[in-house]
Amino acid sequence: MARNIFVLSGGGSRGAGQVGMLKALQAAGITPDLLIGGSVGAINACFVGSHPGPEGIEALADKWRGMSEESICGPRRGIVLNVARRRPYLFSADTFRRLVQAWVPTYHLENLPTPVRVATTDITTGRPVHHSHGLITDLLAASAALPGLFPPVVLRGEDGPTTHVDAGISENVPLSGALHEVQPGDRVFVLDVTRTPQTHRHLRSPLDVLIASLVASVRNREAPALPQGVEIVRLKLDEDFDCGTVFDFSHTEELFRLGEECVRAVLADEPPVASAA
């Protein structure tokens, strides 16, 4: 049976645009049968996977309205301690893990009501990995672990423990995760909120420079070729809108609006497809 597969990119604070996209897709009767996400897209995917339906998307919007750099990273004074102790990261992942536990009440990825795949990067091979099971807090901490900012995460796999970092290091739009999932007749909706790195005008501290440099290093690879009979619907957030640094959450409502407008514009030329579920 044909399915709707949602692929959610990374993009830091621009991830709020995916909330608007999800809301507009839901309003059009298009709901996911499978979600694949990387970095911030993995966080949104796991929330939607654990809270299906329009109420879940509204709840996700409320969570985003309360987002701030400190709610993800903790206070910046922790940087001094981490540097002094020669840790390989500036921010502990403890604050982020608590946020994940508050957002997603399910412990294991394989138990989510709507199936989710979480993308990470294997730091040894540099290749993307797409996880279908495991502890959600560990997987999301790995998927969002920008090197140098957050600690890498050791995950256990079939070949033993391996170390993983942010999904965007290998693939900022984790479309390759759909390669082994799609079947003829499936429709893949790509919720892409990435933005080509621009010249930064508001670099006020060494940390701002580091974050901007890391974001610029994230690769946007060419999309893999999906099998024949699979349709791709690309939803691309307006790249002209500058919402500041990766941890600038002061434009959340505007990003909601832009995400909704993007979907409405695309669906005006595409016949809506209801979920197979």
Side-chain angles (χ1 to χ4, degrees):
M1 183 178 292
R3 301 168 300 164
N4 294 324
I5 298 174
F6 288 10
V7 177
L8 287 76
S9 75
S13 60
R14 287 173 65 86
Q18 291 173 345
V19 181
M21 292 176 180
L22 290 164
K23 184 175 181 180
L25 288 167
Q26 175 76 46
I30 304 171
T31 57
D33 302 295
L34 171 67
L35 300 118
I36 302 168
S39 196
V40 69
I43 301 169
N44 285 336
C46 284
F47 190 96
V48 172
S50 65
H51 302 78
E55 298 84 3
I57 297 172
E58 289 299 331
L60 178 60
D62 286 340
K63 294 291 188 184
W64 268 91
R65 291 184 180 102
M67 288 275 272
S68 66
E69 177 184 312
E70 188 163 331
S71 70
I72 296 174
C73 304
R76 286 199 176 193
R77 61 177 178 272
I79 296 174
V80 177
L81 179 61
N82 291 328
V83 171
R85 294 186 176 180
R86 298 184 178 180
R87 291 170 174 163
Y89 52 85
L90 295 181
F91 295 109
S92 164
D94 291 347
T95 300
F96 177 79
R97 285 173 177 269
R98 286 193 293 270
L99 180 143
V100 170
Q101 290 168 353
W103 282 33
V104 184
T106 307
Y107 289 109
H108 292 92
L109 188 67
E110 61 269 27
N111 293 335
L112 291 176
T114 302
V116 175
R117 305 290 182 262
V118 173
T120 64
T121 299
D122 184 322
I123 201 171
T124 302
T125 65
R127 296 176 180 172
V129 181
H130 305 96
H131 306 266
S132 60
H133 64 277
L135 289 173
I136 291 175
T137 50
D138 287 347
L139 293 171
L140 292 184
S143 189
L146 274 170
L149 286 187
F150 293 106
V153 179
V154 176
L155 301 173
R156 295 192 177 276
E158 295 179 356
D159 300 322
T162 51
T163 303
H164 294 254
V165 293
D166 192 285
I169 300 302
S170 57
E171 187 181 37
N172 211 12
V173 182
L175 193 55
S176 67
L179 280 175
H180 302 295
E181 301 284 352
V182 294
Q183 303 168 359
D186 286 346
R187 206 175 206 201
V188 178
F189 292 83
V190 182
L191 284 66
D192 183 1
V193 298
T194 61
R195 184 171 187 251
T196 302
Q198 308 290 322
T199 300
H200 288 266
R201 300 183 299 274
H202 306 294
L203 301 178
R204 300 187 179 91
S205 71
L207 180 59
D208 289 341
V209 175
L210 175 60
I211 292 173
S213 300
L214 286 170
V215 171
S217 72
V218 167
R219 291 175 247 173
N220 289 293
R221 294 186 173 180
E222 291 186 12
L226 296 180
Q228 286 189 340
V230 175
E231 184 177 358
I232 301 179
V233 179
R234 298 186 181 277
L235 306 169
K236 178 67 173 175
L237 193 71
D238 184 1
E239 284 210 26
D240 292 333
F241 182 71
D242 183 358
C243 61
T245 65
V246 67
F247 293 137
D248 182 351
F249 295 97
S250 61
H251 305 280
T252 295
E253 294 292 342
E254 181 70 4
L255 288 165
F256 288 170
R257 183 186 65 78
L258 290 172
E260 290 188 61
E261 289 181 355
C262 168
V263 170
R264 285 197 290 266
V266 171
L267 294 187
D269 297 321
E270 297 268 357
V273 176
S275 172

